[in-house]
Amino acid sequence: MQTHPMPRRHPIGRGWYWTRGGFTLFLHGRGASVGMLLCWLAIGLLLEMLPIGGVISNLLYMVWMAGWMAAAERAWREQKIRFDDLFTGFRQQFRPLLAGGVVLILALLPIEILSSALLSHWDPVQLLQSREAINLTFTVDEIRAVLLAISLSMLMAVPLLMAVTFAPALILLQKVPVHRALWLSFVGCLRNMWPFLTWSLLACVLLLLSSMLLVVGLLVVIPMLNYSVYVAYRDIFTDGQMPVIPPGEATATHFDA
């Protein structure tokens, strides 16, 4: 598998292709994918019970995502998924992936510091507790502080999200150095803003619909969206066209455009 000198640019409709591809890969290992998700969530909940659980979760983010990329890679090549694919990042490229988690934590620090500074002059929890729920009102300064904190945090978080989207796949599957993987991921997202807009809208709709089905829908949609990131990675960073549905598989999956 070879990387392009620069990531490919795709049209806006490509986001649908990535989403469809993620669903197809999910069909190659539905049971394993659901088991992986439940295990991932259970470990995340246990970590949140620790004093520094949030830090550990961010530190291992790329390690876990590398596992999802490995599962998608197996689904693409072998048309099957194994449960232990989730732990591939702990067995392969662990140090670079962990280094990526360190970069993620360091990049999140200024966002948290900025948000805390903007909201430092009033305590939201104390404010809500001090007012009646029926007559909850806010001053213009309070609203301005909240909106400013949210806007600036999102403005700073978007480039970070772009940098970490494809980094786990690049580090695990192509052994790209951490700094290079983060840069290529950022450029790949930047060159494909419009298809990612389509993908984001589809993801929001799917998550909304799946939430109406409670746990059952999310057990399908979350793995599917993780796999769709892999489909986008192959489409943007690798050579050759990627037939998401291998020849003869379209009828079996009952899912076509």
Side-chain angles (χ1 to χ4, degrees):
M1 192 182 298
Q2 299 177 350
T3 57
H4 284 268
M6 287 297 289
R8 279 197 185 101
R9 179 182 283 112
H10 291 289
I12 188 171
R14 205 65 170 177
W16 161 250
Y17 174 82
W18 301 338
T19 307
R20 185 190 68 173
F23 183 76
T24 301
L25 295 181
F26 172 81
L27 291 178
H28 289 313
R30 287 165 285 194
S33 298
V34 171
M36 289 164 58
L37 177 61
L38 292 175
C39 178
W40 187 33
L41 293 177
I43 294 175
L45 291 174
L46 290 175
L47 288 176
E48 289 299 324
M49 298 171 63
L50 300 176
I52 58 170
V55 175
I56 298 175
S57 295
N58 288 329
L59 189 64
L60 295 177
Y61 171 77
M62 288 198 184
V63 179
W64 289 119
M65 288 309 300
W68 287 102
M69 297 302 101
E73 175 84 354
R74 186 185 300 277
W76 161 246
R77 295 190 179 278
E78 304 177 18
Q79 284 76 58
K80 66 178 181 180
I81 295 173
R82 295 197 322 223
F83 175 80
D84 64 340
D85 288 333
L86 179 63
F87 305 97
T88 301
F90 292 92
R91 301 190 299 265
Q92 303 175 24
Q93 296 295 101
F94 177 71
R95 289 184 179 179
L97 291 167
L98 199 65
V102 173
V103 174
L104 176 61
I105 291 175
L106 294 177
L108 286 172
L109 281 177
I111 299 177
E112 295 179 358
I113 293 173
L114 176 62
S115 298
S116 299
L118 291 172
L119 300 176
S120 61
H121 67 286
W122 62 283
D123 184 356
V125 176
Q126 184 178 1
L127 177 70
L128 292 174
Q129 291 177 347
S130 63
R131 301 183 180 181
E132 297 180 1
I134 300 177
N135 188 26
L136 187 61
T137 59
F138 297 92
T139 67
V140 175
D141 290 339
E142 291 167 350
I143 296 175
R144 185 183 295 115
V146 173
L147 293 178
L148 183 61
I150 293 175
S151 300
L152 291 179
S153 298
M154 292 181 62
L155 187 63
M156 296 175 65
V158 168
L160 178 60
L161 292 174
M162 293 167 66
V164 301
T165 297
F166 297 120
L170 290 166
I171 294 171
L172 177 72
L173 302 177
Q174 298 192 20
K175 309 299 187 292
V176 179
V178 176
H179 68 282
R180 179 67 174 167
L182 293 169
W183 170 248
L184 284 174
S185 177
F186 175 80
V187 175
C189 292
L190 187 63
R191 291 171 65 89
N192 291 274
M193 289 188 299
W194 295 115
F196 264 110
L197 176 61
T198 303
W199 179 88
S200 300
L201 293 175
L202 288 171
C204 290
V205 171
L206 290 171
L207 288 171
L208 179 61
L209 293 177
S210 64
S211 64
M212 296 178 182
L213 300 174
L214 300 180
V215 178
V216 177
L218 294 175
L219 290 177
V220 175
V221 171
I222 294 177
M224 183 201 74
L225 292 177
N226 286 338
Y227 296 149
S228 69
V229 173
Y230 170 82
V231 177
Y233 152 76
R234 285 196 64 103
D235 204 26
I236 294 172
F237 291 97
T238 66
D239 289 320
Q241 295 294 321
M242 176 186 169
V244 172
I245 304 179
E249 293 287 327
T251 304
T253 60
H254 301 287
F255 192 88
D256 199 358

PDB file of all heavy atoms in Angstrom, residues 23-40:
ATOM      1  N   PHE A  23     -20.836   0.685   6.282  1.00  0.00           N
ATOM      2  CA  PHE A  23     -21.907  -0.271   6.556  1.00  0.00           C
ATOM      3  C   PHE A  23     -21.581  -1.631   5.950  1.00  0.00           C
ATOM      4  O   PHE A  23     -21.831  -2.679   6.568  1.00  0.00           O
ATOM      5  CB  PHE A  23     -23.229   0.247   5.999  1.00  0.00           C
ATOM      6  CG  PHE A  23     -24.404  -0.642   6.310  1.00  0.00           C
ATOM      7  CD1 PHE A  23     -24.974  -0.659   7.569  1.00  0.00           C
ATOM      8  CD2 PHE A  23     -24.934  -1.468   5.329  1.00  0.00           C
ATOM      9  CE1 PHE A  23     -26.055  -1.485   7.853  1.00  0.00           C
ATOM     10  CE2 PHE A  23     -26.013  -2.289   5.607  1.00  0.00           C
ATOM     11  CZ  PHE A  23     -26.572  -2.291   6.863  1.00  0.00           C
ATOM     12  N   THR A  24     -21.011  -1.642   4.752  1.00  0.00           N
ATOM     13  CA  THR A  24     -20.652  -2.897   4.108  1.00  0.00           C
ATOM     14  C   THR A  24     -19.601  -3.647   4.916  1.00  0.00           C
ATOM     15  O   THR A  24     -19.692  -4.857   5.097  1.00  0.00           O
ATOM     16  CB  THR A  24     -20.114  -2.624   2.685  1.00  0.00           C
ATOM     17  OG1 THR A  24     -21.120  -1.948   1.933  1.00  0.00           O
ATOM     18  CG2 THR A  24     -19.756  -3.920   1.992  1.00  0.00           C
ATOM     19  N   LEU A  25     -18.599  -2.936   5.404  1.00  0.00           N
ATOM     20  CA  LEU A  25     -17.579  -3.589   6.226  1.00  0.00           C
ATOM     21  C   LEU A  25     -18.180  -4.117   7.532  1.00  0.00           C
ATOM     22  O   LEU A  25     -17.783  -5.178   8.013  1.00  0.00           O
ATOM     23  CB  LEU A  25     -16.444  -2.609   6.523  1.00  0.00           C
ATOM     24  CG  LEU A  25     -15.626  -2.143   5.313  1.00  0.00           C
ATOM     25  CD1 LEU A  25     -14.515  -1.199   5.749  1.00  0.00           C
ATOM     26  CD2 LEU A  25     -15.045  -3.315   4.538  1.00  0.00           C
ATOM     27  N   PHE A  26     -19.124  -3.387   8.089  1.00  0.00           N
ATOM     28  CA  PHE A  26     -19.802  -3.850   9.303  1.00  0.00           C
ATOM     29  C   PHE A  26     -20.504  -5.179   9.062  1.00  0.00           C
ATOM     30  O   PHE A  26     -20.506  -6.066   9.925  1.00  0.00           O
ATOM     31  CB  PHE A  26     -20.800  -2.797   9.773  1.00  0.00           C
ATOM     32  CG  PHE A  26     -21.690  -3.258  10.896  1.00  0.00           C
ATOM     33  CD1 PHE A  26     -21.231  -3.255  12.212  1.00  0.00           C
ATOM     34  CD2 PHE A  26     -22.987  -3.693  10.638  1.00  0.00           C
ATOM     35  CE1 PHE A  26     -22.050  -3.684  13.248  1.00  0.00           C
ATOM     36  CE2 PHE A  26     -23.804  -4.118  11.670  1.00  0.00           C
ATOM     37  CZ  PHE A  26     -23.340  -4.115  12.976  1.00  0.00           C
ATOM     38  N   LEU A  27     -21.086  -5.354   7.887  1.00  0.00           N
ATOM     39  CA  LEU A  27     -21.805  -6.583   7.582  1.00  0.00           C
ATOM     40  C   LEU A  27     -20.887  -7.792   7.532  1.00  0.00           C
ATOM     41  O   LEU A  27     -21.346  -8.926   7.672  1.00  0.00           O
ATOM     42  CB  LEU A  27     -22.536  -6.435   6.241  1.00  0.00           C
ATOM     43  CG  LEU A  27     -23.712  -5.462   6.210  1.00  0.00           C
ATOM     44  CD1 LEU A  27     -24.301  -5.390   4.813  1.00  0.00           C
ATOM     45  CD2 LEU A  27     -24.776  -5.847   7.230  1.00  0.00           C
ATOM     46  N   HIS A  28     -19.589  -7.574   7.335  1.00  0.00           N
ATOM     47  CA  HIS A  28     -18.643  -8.689   7.304  1.00  0.00           C
ATOM     48  C   HIS A  28     -18.330  -9.214   8.705  1.00  0.00           C
ATOM     49  O   HIS A  28     -17.683 -10.261   8.827  1.00  0.00           O
ATOM     50  CB  HIS A  28     -17.342  -8.260   6.623  1.00  0.00           C
ATOM     51  CG  HIS A  28     -17.471  -8.056   5.143  1.00  0.00           C
ATOM     52  ND1 HIS A  28     -18.095  -8.958   4.318  1.00  0.00           N
ATOM     53  CD2 HIS A  28     -17.047  -7.048   4.342  1.00  0.00           C
ATOM     54  CE1 HIS A  28     -18.050  -8.524   3.068  1.00  0.00           C
ATOM     55  NE2 HIS A  28     -17.428  -7.364   3.061  1.00  0.00           N
ATOM     56  N   GLY A  29     -18.750  -8.500   9.745  1.00  0.00           N
ATOM     57  CA  GLY A  29     -18.477  -8.973  11.099  1.00  0.00           C
ATOM     58  C   GLY A  29     -19.379  -8.305  12.104  1.00  0.00           C
ATOM     59  O   GLY A  29     -18.914  -7.598  12.997  1.00  0.00           O
ATOM     60  N   ARG A  30     -20.682  -8.508  11.970  1.00  0.00           N
ATOM     61  CA  ARG A  30     -21.638  -7.817  12.829  1.00  0.00           C
ATOM     62  C   ARG A  30     -21.469  -8.189  14.302  1.00  0.00           C
ATOM     63  O   ARG A  30     -21.403  -7.321  15.173  1.00  0.00           O
ATOM     64  CB  ARG A  30     -23.069  -8.126  12.367  1.00  0.00           C
ATOM     65  CG  ARG A  30     -23.452  -7.430  11.076  1.00  0.00           C
ATOM     66  CD  ARG A  30     -24.700  -8.008  10.466  1.00  0.00           C
ATOM     67  NE  ARG A  30     -24.419  -9.298   9.836  1.00  0.00           N
ATOM     68  CZ  ARG A  30     -25.242  -9.931   8.995  1.00  0.00           C
ATOM     69  NH1 ARG A  30     -26.409  -9.382   8.705  1.00  0.00           N
ATOM     70  NH2 ARG A  30     -24.909 -11.075   8.461  1.00  0.00           N
ATOM     71  N   GLY A  31     -21.395  -9.493  14.584  1.00  0.00           N
ATOM     72  CA  GLY A  31     -21.265  -9.921  15.965  1.00  0.00           C
ATOM     73  C   GLY A  31     -19.965  -9.446  16.607  1.00  0.00           C
ATOM     74  O   GLY A  31     -19.962  -8.953  17.746  1.00  0.00           O
ATOM     75  N   ALA A  32     -18.872  -9.591  15.886  1.00  0.00           N
ATOM     76  CA  ALA A  32     -17.579  -9.154  16.415  1.00  0.00           C
ATOM     77  C   ALA A  32     -17.565  -7.647  16.636  1.00  0.00           C
ATOM     78  O   ALA A  32     -17.024  -7.159  17.637  1.00  0.00           O
ATOM     79  CB  ALA A  32     -16.459  -9.565  15.456  1.00  0.00           C
ATOM     80  N   SER A  33     -18.172  -6.905  15.718  1.00  0.00           N
ATOM     81  CA  SER A  33     -18.185  -5.447  15.836  1.00  0.00           C
ATOM     82  C   SER A  33     -18.975  -4.994  17.063  1.00  0.00           C
ATOM     83  O   SER A  33     -18.552  -4.084  17.786  1.00  0.00           O
ATOM     84  CB  SER A  33     -18.783  -4.822  14.569  1.00  0.00           C
ATOM     85  OG  SER A  33     -18.004  -5.122  13.433  1.00  0.00           O
ATOM     86  N   VAL A  34     -20.113  -5.624  17.293  1.00  0.00           N
ATOM     87  CA  VAL A  34     -20.917  -5.282  18.467  1.00  0.00           C
ATOM     88  C   VAL A  34     -20.154  -5.628  19.743  1.00  0.00           C
ATOM     89  O   VAL A  34     -20.142  -4.854  20.715  1.00  0.00           O
ATOM     90  CB  VAL A  34     -22.275  -6.003  18.424  1.00  0.00           C
ATOM     91  CG1 VAL A  34     -23.016  -5.837  19.746  1.00  0.00           C
ATOM     92  CG2 VAL A  34     -23.121  -5.471  17.267  1.00  0.00           C
ATOM     93  N   GLY A  35     -19.505  -6.786  19.760  1.00  0.00           N
ATOM     94  CA  GLY A  35     -18.710  -7.168  20.921  1.00  0.00           C
ATOM     95  C   GLY A  35     -17.564  -6.209  21.171  1.00  0.00           C
ATOM     96  O   GLY A  35     -17.270  -5.852  22.320  1.00  0.00           O
ATOM     97  N   MET A  36     -16.904  -5.766  20.099  1.00  0.00           N
ATOM     98  CA  MET A  36     -15.820  -4.793  20.227  1.00  0.00           C
ATOM     99  C   MET A  36     -16.324  -3.486  20.825  1.00  0.00           C
ATOM    100  O   MET A  36     -15.690  -2.895  21.697  1.00  0.00           O
ATOM    101  CB  MET A  36     -15.195  -4.546  18.854  1.00  0.00           C
ATOM    102  CG  MET A  36     -14.387  -5.708  18.316  1.00  0.00           C
ATOM    103  SD  MET A  36     -14.074  -5.569  16.532  1.00  0.00           S
ATOM    104  CE  MET A  36     -13.236  -3.994  16.442  1.00  0.00           C
ATOM    105  N   LEU A  37     -17.481  -3.037  20.353  1.00  0.00           N
ATOM    106  CA  LEU A  37     -18.034  -1.781  20.854  1.00  0.00           C
ATOM    107  C   LEU A  37     -18.385  -1.877  22.332  1.00  0.00           C
ATOM    108  O   LEU A  37     -18.063  -0.972  23.119  1.00  0.00           O
ATOM    109  CB  LEU A  37     -19.274  -1.400  20.041  1.00  0.00           C
ATOM    110  CG  LEU A  37     -20.007  -0.138  20.502  1.00  0.00           C
ATOM    111  CD1 LEU A  37     -19.099   1.083  20.401  1.00  0.00           C
ATOM    112  CD2 LEU A  37     -21.288   0.080  19.695  1.00  0.00           C
ATOM    113  N   LEU A  38     -19.022  -2.966  22.738  1.00  0.00           N
ATOM    114  CA  LEU A  38     -19.403  -3.133  24.137  1.00  0.00           C
ATOM    115  C   LEU A  38     -18.168  -3.189  25.034  1.00  0.00           C
ATOM    116  O   LEU A  38     -18.150  -2.605  26.123  1.00  0.00           O
ATOM    117  CB  LEU A  38     -20.242  -4.400  24.299  1.00  0.00           C
ATOM    118  CG  LEU A  38     -21.634  -4.371  23.652  1.00  0.00           C
ATOM    119  CD1 LEU A  38     -22.317  -5.719  23.782  1.00  0.00           C
ATOM    120  CD2 LEU A  38     -22.497  -3.269  24.256  1.00  0.00           C
ATOM    121  N   CYS A  39     -17.135  -3.876  24.574  1.00  0.00           N
ATOM    122  CA  CYS A  39     -15.893  -3.953  25.345  1.00  0.00           C
ATOM    123  C   CYS A  39     -15.251  -2.577  25.452  1.00  0.00           C
ATOM    124  O   CYS A  39     -14.801  -2.166  26.538  1.00  0.00           O
ATOM    125  CB  CYS A  39     -14.942  -4.939  24.669  1.00  0.00           C
ATOM    126  SG  CYS A  39     -13.333  -5.099  25.478  1.00  0.00           S
ATOM    127  N   TRP A  40     -15.201  -1.850  24.345  1.00  0.00           N
ATOM    128  CA  TRP A  40     -14.617  -0.507  24.302  1.00  0.00           C
ATOM    129  C   TRP A  40     -15.347   0.432  25.265  1.00  0.00           C
ATOM    130  O   TRP A  40     -14.726   1.167  26.030  1.00  0.00           O
ATOM    131  CB  TRP A  40     -14.689   0.001  22.872  1.00  0.00           C
ATOM    132  CG  TRP A  40     -13.992   1.296  22.593  1.00  0.00           C
ATOM    133  CD1 TRP A  40     -12.849   1.757  23.178  1.00  0.00           C
ATOM    134  CD2 TRP A  40     -14.388   2.290  21.648  1.00  0.00           C
ATOM    135  NE1 TRP A  40     -12.500   2.981  22.646  1.00  0.00           N
ATOM    136  CE2 TRP A  40     -13.431   3.322  21.705  1.00  0.00           C
ATOM    137  CE3 TRP A  40     -15.446   2.400  20.748  1.00  0.00           C
ATOM    138  CZ2 TRP A  40     -13.509   4.461  20.903  1.00  0.00           C
ATOM    139  CZ3 TRP A  40     -15.518   3.523  19.937  1.00  0.00           C
ATOM    140  CH2 TRP A  40     -14.563   4.535  20.025  1.00  0.00           C
TER     141      TRP A  40
END
